[in-house]
Amino acid sequence: MKPFLIRRISTTADGREIIRDAQAARDVVTVGRAATNDIALPDLGVDPEHLYIQHSSDGRVQVTATGSSGFLVGRRRSKEAVVDPDQGGDIAVGGHRIAMSRDIGGAIVLTVQRVAAISKAAEERDETKAFSLRGLVPAKRSTAWVLALSVLFAFLAIPVWAAFQKQHQPARTIYAAASDTTWTSGPLSQAHHALEGNCEACHKKAFVSVRDETCQSCHKDVHDHALPGRLAKARENPGFGGRILASVAKTFGKEGPGSCVACHTEHEGAGPMPATAQAFCSDCHSTLNQRLTDTKLPNAGDFGTQHPQFRPLIAMVPGEKPVMARASLDSMPMDDSGLKFTHKLHLDTRGGVAAMARSLKSSKGYGDALVCADCHTPTADRVRFQPVDMEKNCQACHSLAFDNIGGTVRTLRHGDTAQMTADLRAFYRSTSPARPINLGGMERRRPGTYAQGQVYNAYFGAVGARGSTGDKAVRAVFSPGGACYDCHLVKPPGAGSPDWSVVPVNQPLRYMMHGWFDHNAHSTETCASCHTKAASSAKATDLLVPDLKSCRSCHGGEASAAKVPSSCAMCHGYHGKEDAPWKPKQGGAAASPMLIRPRPGDTASLN
């Protein structure tokens, strides 16, 4: 039996539906108010363990109530029911409805949605009084004072006394181990694990924070790092509370903004670190130009409200070493890859390309027209797409065949113009025109066959001119209508090359060099929902990268409730590398990205 797929549907403040999918951990799904259930319903009208759902032997779903409350099937209350997911059916529990259906993969989908307000039962109204411990335990204020004094005595006075005892009497170990344990903030990270128990390696002086020179004694090469002085100047001036905290930190010897410990904290353990909060970045970047007047970085404080337009890295001039530059998408930049290609022509559902796709449907698996996936192949990790390859993606329609020998088709050498030119010239030198039958060895020569325009003259004239025909064939390949000219930018002889050649093609795997995008995380979307202008693009230089508005149709800032919350760390990492920005693993293996279902009429917001 396939495991159940639990689908929860909730509604945002602006009416959008948020769908979250997760596979059940076992074959029997429990439903109730307790958080330990597979489907936890925060409703006082639902028992802590209300019912369970399991597979029936005939492929249907068996629903059984564990208590006396039961559930509704239609308008009848029942304690046991069998539901056929192929026909569709649902049950009601408290203010929630659980619909059952079967997806195309055969798994049974349990769709949970609130359909009524949460119960306003009497026990909910009296909940505060019923569960209060007032009158049974000491007052909060007196308890707080006792605990505070106990903490000061046990974890401050005694450890300080033990530390001084250790300094003056090294041989004694009265309370040394316990004092170290109570003072430590937590275990060291994996990188500093070798220093565990050797506090003096970093903390040179008691009650003094770790100094920059201590960090720099080991970390001498800090790549891609802002200068400490400039980093301190970039930080926003703290408010009243921040100034108080800074004065306390200064009292204990902590260095100010721009120091190593201002950003890099230790004693947080070797386990998963928390995701970097948006405030960590926006404290500087939201008003950066006010403090660093010479910066070229635009302000950025929140993806939903304050973020600059994307600036992809594009090829301004194609070539072996293309001239690259970053340009804002607001300026409608052109990306010159060296190709002559139009998406509009290839995605047209009624043109010649579509007719070619239909003719190759049985052999190549195309549909009634070409789609994006016919030419664009994802990488193994499905994060990006591989460069379009002539042999794999284009040659089915754009044949480079020029000869057929015994049923074997000879093709021009793609990607090596010198080799292709040599092959064409060798072909025309090594082959001769078909010899007329009346010039065979047993045929008698007749007067007149040697005259201008007659058989003999025409045949041997063609044989003599066969070498120059090769040059004509090469020229035709690189001329309008030729195999190379129609797709590539051609360089004729003399333009830096002794022979014909093409401009090298530039197909970048990544345009956003300072931001990360994962196609696999957006697998629920279609290509056209983000690349909205692809079907109408009539130029090869059109840059079809989605702009800021397109991404904002689904993504909001870190605190966004109506859209997918997106902090700075989702797309950016401080140290620029090819890897994705680090973020903690959320949910289990069965967890899927949160999807927002657009309402009717919202399609225009994606354009």
Side-chain angles (χ1 to χ4, degrees), residues 475-518:
R475 189 180 306 109
V477 168
F478 292 99
S479 300
C484 298
Y485 184 90
D486 287 349
C487 297
H488 293 273
L489 297 178
V490 172
K491 294 192 296 184
S497 174
D499 214 331
W500 294 90
S501 62
V502 298
V503 175
V505 175
N506 177 49
Q507 295 188 69
L509 287 175
R510 184 176 177 183
Y511 281 98
M512 306 294 186
M513 305 308 295
H514 297 283
W516 181 265
F517 182 84
D518 187 347

Side-chain angles (χ1 to χ4, degrees), residues 79-160:
K79 293 185 179 180
E80 186 174 4
V82 177
V83 180
D84 188 354
D86 295 321
Q87 301 296 326
D90 60 76
I91 62 172
V93 184
H96 292 75
R97 181 171 64 89
I98 303 177
M100 303 175 193
S101 60
R102 194 184 300 274
D103 65 7
I104 58 176
I108 296 177
V109 182
L110 305 179
T111 304
V112 184
Q113 187 173 17
R114 183 188 299 171
V115 294
I118 294 179
S119 172
K120 298 295 183 182
E123 57 265 27
E124 181 184 2
R125 294 195 298 270
D126 299 333
E127 186 179 31
T128 303
K129 183 183 297 183
F131 291 97
S132 174
L133 295 177
R134 187 177 301 171
L136 300 178
V137 296
K140 294 180 181 179
R141 187 177 299 275
S142 58
T143 302
W145 276 108
V146 170
L147 291 176
L149 293 175
S150 300
V151 169
L152 287 174
F153 180 76
F155 298 102
L156 179 61
I158 293 180
V160 169

Side-chain angles (χ1 to χ4, degrees), residues 195-208:
L195 300 176
E196 198 78 55
N198 185 14
C199 304
E200 294 80 5
C202 298
H203 299 275
K204 298 297 184 181
K205 295 182 180 179
F207 306 106
V208 176

Side-chain angles (χ1 to χ4, degrees), residues 191-390:
H192 294 152
H193 182 67
L195 300 176
E196 198 78 55
N198 185 14
C199 304
E200 294 80 5
C202 298
H203 299 275
K204 298 297 184 181
K205 295 182 180 179
F207 306 106
V208 176
S209 177
V210 177
R211 317 298 291 180
D212 281 356
E213 55 266 23
T214 305
C215 301
Q216 293 168 0
S217 63
C218 294
H219 300 276
K220 298 176 182 179
D221 182 17
V222 283
H223 63 283
D224 189 27
H225 201 289
L227 297 175
R230 189 169 177 81
L231 192 62
K233 187 179 178 181
R235 296 194 60 156
E236 188 175 6
N237 295 324
F240 178 72
R243 290 195 295 271
I244 293 178
L245 291 176
S247 62
V248 173
K250 186 177 181 180
T251 302
F252 286 92
K254 184 176 181 179
E255 294 178 297
S259 63
C260 300
V261 295
C263 297
H264 299 279
T265 57
E266 250 298 353
H267 295 287
E268 295 186 2
M273 296 171 60
T276 303
Q278 179 172 289
F280 188 86
C281 306
S282 61
D283 282 348
C284 295
H285 285 271
S286 60
T287 54
L288 186 64
N289 62 350
Q290 297 179 14
R291 293 176 297 279
L292 295 180
T293 56
D294 61 337
T295 184
K296 296 181 180 179
L297 297 176
N299 291 341
D302 182 272
F303 185 78
T305 58
Q306 186 191 14
H307 194 282
Q309 180 60 271
F310 301 145
R311 298 178 62 206
L313 184 67
I314 60 176
M316 308 299 290
V317 180
E320 188 72 35
K321 294 181 179 180
V323 178
M324 309 295 291
R326 293 179 63 193
S328 171
L329 291 178
D330 285 337
S331 63
M332 303 297 291
M334 297 296 178
D335 180 36
D336 199 341
S337 63
L339 279 174
K340 299 175 184 177
F341 176 89
T342 64
H343 282 83
K344 181 179 180 180
L345 176 67
H346 288 76
L347 294 177
D348 188 357
T349 58
R350 296 178 296 181
V353 176
M356 175 69 78
R358 289 191 293 271
S359 69
L360 296 173
K361 182 185 295 188
S362 60
S363 59
K364 299 297 181 182
Y366 297 148
D368 292 332
L370 288 183
V371 295
C372 304
D374 291 330
C375 301
H376 295 281
T377 305
T379 55
D381 57 7
R382 307 190 72 83
V383 172
R384 302 192 183 104
F385 282 83
Q386 301 174 14
V388 175
D389 183 81
M390 170 66 186

